[in-house]
């Protein structure tokens, strides 16, 4: 997780933007109750009777009924939306500077959700409380149960307002969190027998088989995974990230950062100056598509433009934080399969 993980390691001690004036009264009124009333119905047909879900921390959340007032990390909300479940509020990259939907928002209509924070360490706790949340859902990028984009400084206040569910996206293959999101959506009332849902899963499986065949046919094609910032170029390792672990299991030949370099970042990536961006030889380059990263068309560094894969036009986007619905995971798998199928050996 280049960039975002760096931020998590270095900025967890900062206060969340959006303050908490008057929050004490709200917390007192809410107490530690897990169940709240009100809110719009989701698209899915909410199940009657008690609701429970055991998350990837081993925590079981129990409510008197399926939650209606759901607040979620943007990417989680986008995945649930694909399964017919709408949320009330989101936190995380949701809109771009021009007001359009961020890539991590998927197909959601971002004008219809309350955005509690659009960038790192932003989470408006007062707005969150006003939503009377039943549950908060996020992903987790470590084995300590840290909820992604929930600020360290305000996590305790946030936790008092509603129970939380964490879906792990750490050190496992993509299919595992995809299945967990499927189970979560189903528990919330999504129709998992709907043609759109079942067909998306079949398309994902077909795309995966295509990638397996492409990797087997061209084992010599080396794929580098990168992310660009003004100062540094990050090379991701194939361990820890759910998409890369899955692609590697399908046979993709990834360029790996040095062990010493990965150790310095908890195993995630290697940081290179732009002068040294040619350190690793590659035939295909996958580039971080998040709005926090500089996109390939906007990279002006001469060293980048001289890379053989760049000169050959063998650069594709990477969904660094995949939206965990089968529908949204088809395109990234197909794109990598096609890139390897068409790639020339240039390294």
């Amino acid at each position: 997780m280049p960039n975002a993980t760096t931020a998590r390691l270095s900025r967890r001690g900062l206060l969340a933007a959006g303050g908490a004036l008057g929050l004490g009264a709200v917390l007192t009124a809410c107490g530690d109750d897990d169940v709240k009333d009100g809110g719009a119905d989701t698209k899915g047909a909410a199940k009657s009777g008690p609701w429970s879900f055991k998350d990837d921390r081993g925590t079981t959340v129990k409510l008197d009924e399926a939650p209606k007032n759901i607040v979620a990390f943007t990417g989680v909300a986008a995945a649930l939306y694909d399964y017919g479940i709408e949320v009330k509020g989101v936190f995380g990259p949701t809109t771009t500077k021009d007001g359009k939907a961020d890539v991590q928002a998927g197909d959601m209509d971002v004008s219809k959700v309350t955005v509690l924070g659009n960038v790192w360490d932003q989470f408006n706790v007062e707005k969150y409380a006003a939503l009377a949340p039943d549950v908060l859902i996020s992903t987790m990028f470590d084995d300590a149960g840290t909820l992604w984009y929930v600020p360290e400084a305000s996590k305790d206040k946030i936790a008092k307002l509603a129970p939380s569910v964490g879906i792990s996206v750490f050190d496992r293959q993509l299919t595992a969190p995809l299945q967990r999101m499927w189970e979560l959506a189903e528990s919330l009332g999504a129709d998992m027998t709907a043609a759109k849902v079942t067909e998306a899963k079949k398309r994902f499986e077909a795309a995966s088989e295509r990638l397996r065949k492409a990797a087997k046919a061209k084992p010599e094609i080396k794929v580098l995974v990168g992310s660009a910032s003004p100062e540094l170029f990050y090379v991701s390792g194939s361990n820890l990230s759910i998409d890369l672990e899955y692609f590697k299991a399908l046979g993709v030949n990834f360029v790996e950062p040095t062990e010493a370099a990965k150790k310095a970042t908890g195993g995630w990536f290697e940081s290179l100056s732009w002068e040294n961006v040619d350190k690793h030889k590659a035939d295909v380059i996958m580039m971080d598509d998040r709005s926090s990263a500089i996109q390939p068309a906007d990279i002006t560094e001469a060293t980048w433009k001289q890379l053989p894969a760049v000169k050959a036009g063998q650069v594709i986007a990477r969904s660094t934080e995949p939206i965990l619905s089968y529908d949204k995971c088809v395109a990234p798998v197909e794109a990598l399969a096609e890139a390897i199928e068409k790639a020339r050996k240039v390294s």
Side-chain angles (χ1 to χ4, degrees), residues 289-308:
D289 71 351
R290 292 173 299 176
S291 55
S292 58
I294 300 175
Q295 297 307 299
D298 299 320
I299 298 175
T300 59
E301 301 290 342
T303 48
W304 162 261
K305 295 180 179 180
Q306 291 303 311
L307 293 177

Side-chain angles (χ1 to χ4, degrees), residues 27 30-34 36 155-163:
L27 291 173
C30 293
D32 292 327
D33 291 343
D34 285 342
K36 311 293 187 299
K155 69 177 184 180
D156 292 339
K157 293 176 181 178
I158 292 167
K160 289 180 179 180
L161 291 166

Side-chain angles (χ1 to χ4, degrees), residues 84 135 160-161 222 268 331 347:
V135 67
K160 289 180 179 180
L161 291 166
K222 300 177 69 175
W268 287 99
S347 64

Side-chain angles (χ1 to χ4, degrees), residues 303-324:
T303 48
W304 162 261
K305 295 180 179 180
Q306 291 303 311
L307 293 177
V310 175
K311 294 173 71 175
Q314 295 177 177
V315 178
I316 64 171
R318 175 203 175 196
S319 296
T320 306
E321 291 185 53
I323 293 173
L324 296 173

Side-chain angles (χ1 to χ4, degrees), residues 254-334:
F254 283 111
V255 171
E256 297 288 354
T258 63
E259 289 302 317
K262 287 195 295 182
K263 186 176 181 181
T265 61
W268 287 99
F269 57 87
E270 176 179 9
S271 303
L272 298 175
S273 66
W274 283 103
E275 290 77 12
N276 295 316
V277 74
D278 60 352
K279 175 180 178 180
H280 300 288
K281 307 304 179 184
D283 305 296
V284 173
I285 300 177
M286 300 173 68
M287 290 295 290
D288 188 348
D289 71 351
R290 292 173 299 176
S291 55
S292 58
I294 300 175
Q295 297 307 299
D298 299 320
I299 298 175
T300 59
E301 301 290 342
T303 48
W304 162 261
K305 295 180 179 180
Q306 291 303 311
L307 293 177
V310 175
K311 294 173 71 175
Q314 295 177 177
V315 178
I316 64 171
R318 175 203 175 196
S319 296
T320 306
E321 291 185 53
I323 293 173
L324 296 173
S325 71
Y326 284 101
D327 179 70
K328 291 298 180 293
C329 287
V330 171
V333 181
E334 287 185 335

Side-chain angles (χ1 to χ4, degrees), residues 77-101:
L80 292 176
Y81 183 88
D82 286 349
Y83 291 129
I85 304 297
E86 294 187 6
V87 307
K88 291 286 292 293
V90 296
F91 54 95
T94 308
T95 59
T96 57
K97 292 180 179 179
D98 57 6
K100 295 180 180 179

Side-chain angles (χ1 to χ4, degrees), residues 54-69:
K54 185 175 182 179
D55 74 359
D56 291 337
R57 298 170 298 185
T59 299
T60 299
V61 177
K62 297 180 180 181
L63 300 175
D64 290 342
E65 60 181 359
K68 296 182 178 66
N69 291 359

